[in-house]
Amino acid sequence: MDFDYSDKTKALQDKLQQFMQQHIYPNEQAYHEEMQANTAAGKRWTPLQTIEKLKPIARQQGLWNLFLPVDTAAASGYEGAGLTNQEYAPLAEIMGRVPWASEVFNCSAPDTGNMETLARYGSEEIKQRWLKPLLEGEIRSAFAMTEPAVASSDATNIETRIERQGDEYVINGRKWWISGAGDPRCKVFITMGKSDFDAPRHAQQSMIVVPADTPGVKILRPLSVLGYDDAPHGHMEMVFENVRVPAANILLGEGRGFEIAQGRLGPGRIHHCMRLIGQAERALEYLCRRALSRVAFGKTIAQQTVTQERIAQARCEIDMARLLTLKAAWMMDTVGNKVARTEIAMIKVVAPSMACRVIDWAIQVHGGGGLSDDFPLAYSYANARTLRFADGPDEVHRNAIAKWELGKYADTPPKAGEMEPPVTRGF
């Protein structure tokens, strides 16, 4: 593995860092003020102009759809940055320093994963109707997989029905933690359900494209994350009640849902982890600046041994997480997602837990202020803690890593399906 970034990545890093300095960081206060004003006016679920006004600038500077990989760009027929996973990863880290920044560059979840899914598996009609406006930033989307009635850490548990009736599929089921469903610009759901309950375990699921305005699609309520509702994006509980869509909306065909999910979640895990590393880096910066400026018991907090230990540990853990994530990205590019499955699972264990620790240490140094919205730390912690569930809880990934490791030494080969990479809840 070459630890140096490509010239293309370095150039984009410089442009992105300049954009963050000129446009993102100076607008953090404006973002919060607009949210407060919208709340007071009863317009909490309204797109924020703080973000919208920056999108044309990002696009003019060539900082648009940076996530779109080489193969996906070719398959979609639309232009992106054409980066590999390894090339995009450090850019995701820079954007991740401010949780809302990724949307400015049309690189935010769940749209990125949905766009890749539609580009790889959608028909030409689906690409024209949904992928093109998503790539243009004209609409947003959601990924409907997680369900409240079952343990969605195992996606084979899902109970939503996708039943063929003539030239249509009829969808019935309840979903929750459907990120992005609260946004009024959300126009399409990629929905996972079961089309054949009697098929082999990993061939029961299908994915289908559901327009948001289809009769029977109902948003029930927003869910809060440690007190944050993440408006106007939101994480919703919703139902599909006798929702009818054309049979052509099925992706790849019946029974291919698990396969699609595996392809979708690999890059998404790289994106999530690198954004978390960006948040952890910023938290460490806040920690150090605060520690140097505050005096307690006759000396700065930075002079306290416990603070120095935490700063050192944070530096070590951030760099270790980054290197492991870059290795996973490199392996995905060179040998494919299936071979890189252990590394992908490892980063999903390592990065969120690391970010939670580092942000928690930063909060501690800020005292009561760290718990408030005067600093970005409380919201960053909520985001990092959420990602110990999103794309699979820690326990599922640890279990998979252990099975794959034990498989190297087992006398009896594992049964078919036992070593499948985990497909778990998505946010």
Side-chain angles (χ1 to χ4, degrees), residues 142-348:
F143 182 57
M145 184 174 76
T146 305
E147 299 181 2
V150 297
S152 296
S153 56
D154 177 1
T156 61
N157 284 337
I158 61 174
E159 297 177 339
T160 293
R161 291 179 175 270
I162 302 176
E163 298 174 299
R164 182 74 179 257
Q165 292 185 9
D167 293 332
E168 295 179 317
Y169 280 99
V170 181
I171 306 162
N172 283 283
R174 181 180 290 255
K175 301 285 188 180
W176 73 343
W177 294 110
I178 309 307
S179 300
D183 194 314
R185 297 163 298 177
C186 180
K187 302 300 182 184
V188 63
F189 295 89
I190 297 180
T191 304
M192 188 166 175
K194 285 188 178 177
S195 52
D196 186 349
F197 282 71
D198 297 320
R201 185 176 174 219
H202 293 97
Q204 297 178 7
Q205 302 80 16
S206 296
M207 281 198 194
I208 194 162
V209 176
V210 181
D213 60 359
T214 307
V217 176
K218 299 178 182 178
I219 304 297
L220 300 181
R221 59 169 178 149
L223 302 165
S224 64
V225 181
L226 296 181
Y228 296 97
D229 63 10
D230 286 338
H233 184 65
H235 314 282
M236 299 292 170
E237 183 172 1
M238 60 183 297
V239 293
F240 296 88
E241 292 183 349
N242 295 316
V243 173
R244 292 180 173 270
V245 298
N249 283 24
I250 202 86
L251 294 176
L252 276 187
E254 290 189 18
R256 307 288 293 275
F258 203 88
E259 172 189 345
I260 295 170
Q262 287 178 331
R264 182 188 187 280
L265 291 172
R269 286 167 180 158
I270 295 289
H271 303 174
H272 274 322
C273 291
M274 291 304 290
R275 283 192 290 262
L276 279 171
I277 290 164
Q279 286 189 53
E281 278 285 7
R282 197 160 188 225
L284 179 57
E285 179 183 323
Y286 269 93
L287 190 164
C288 291
R289 293 185 185 281
R290 182 77 166 188
L292 287 166
S293 67
R294 306 286 279 195
V295 175
F297 304 105
K299 55 184 179 181
T300 64
I301 296 175
Q303 292 174 299
Q304 307 286 349
T305 303
V306 65
T307 305
Q308 294 175 3
E309 289 176 351
R310 287 175 176 173
I311 290 170
Q313 188 65 25
R315 178 74 278 149
C316 293
E317 291 194 23
I318 291 171
D319 284 8
M320 287 190 291
R322 179 186 295 108
L323 287 171
L324 184 58
T325 306
L326 290 174
K327 180 192 176 188
W330 170 74
M331 289 187 65
M332 288 167 61
D333 293 332
T334 55
V335 295
N337 292 13
K338 191 166 186 176
V339 177
R341 61 188 184 180
T342 303
E343 285 72 19
I344 294 170
M346 287 164 63
I347 64 173
K348 268 301 285 125

Side-chain angles (χ1 to χ4, degrees), residues 48-202:
L48 297 171
Q49 293 308 302
T50 304
I51 293 176
E52 294 304 306
K53 71 181 182 182
L54 295 178
K55 290 181 179 180
I57 304 173
R59 194 162 188 171
Q60 287 172 357
Q61 295 187 14
L63 299 173
W64 190 257
N65 289 337
L66 296 171
F67 74 95
L68 199 62
V70 176
D71 62 329
T72 310
S76 66
Y78 301 106
E79 186 177 352
L83 303 175
T84 64
N85 286 296
Q86 186 184 359
E87 288 175 321
Y88 176 71
L91 306 181
E93 177 182 343
I94 294 170
M95 290 183 275
R97 289 173 63 87
V98 176
W100 53 265
S102 295
E103 186 185 346
V104 171
F105 310 99
N106 210 37
C107 290
S108 55
D111 293 329
T112 50
N114 287 343
M115 285 187 269
E116 288 191 46
T117 299
L118 295 176
R120 286 193 175 122
Y121 310 117
S123 65
E124 286 305 314
E125 182 181 350
I126 285 174
K127 289 177 186 178
Q128 285 296 322
R129 184 175 179 188
W130 302 116
L131 177 60
K132 188 175 187 297
L134 280 168
L135 287 168
E136 294 290 335
E138 296 170 356
I139 64 171
R140 298 208 63 184
S141 63
F143 182 57
M145 184 174 76
T146 305
E147 299 181 2
V150 297
S152 296
S153 56
D154 177 1
T156 61
N157 284 337
I158 61 174
E159 297 177 339
T160 293
R161 291 179 175 270
I162 302 176
E163 298 174 299
R164 182 74 179 257
Q165 292 185 9
D167 293 332
E168 295 179 317
Y169 280 99
V170 181
I171 306 162
N172 283 283
R174 181 180 290 255
K175 301 285 188 180
W176 73 343
W177 294 110
I178 309 307
S179 300
D183 194 314
R185 297 163 298 177
C186 180
K187 302 300 182 184
V188 63
F189 295 89
I190 297 180
T191 304
M192 188 166 175
K194 285 188 178 177
S195 52
D196 186 349
F197 282 71
D198 297 320
R201 185 176 174 219
H202 293 97

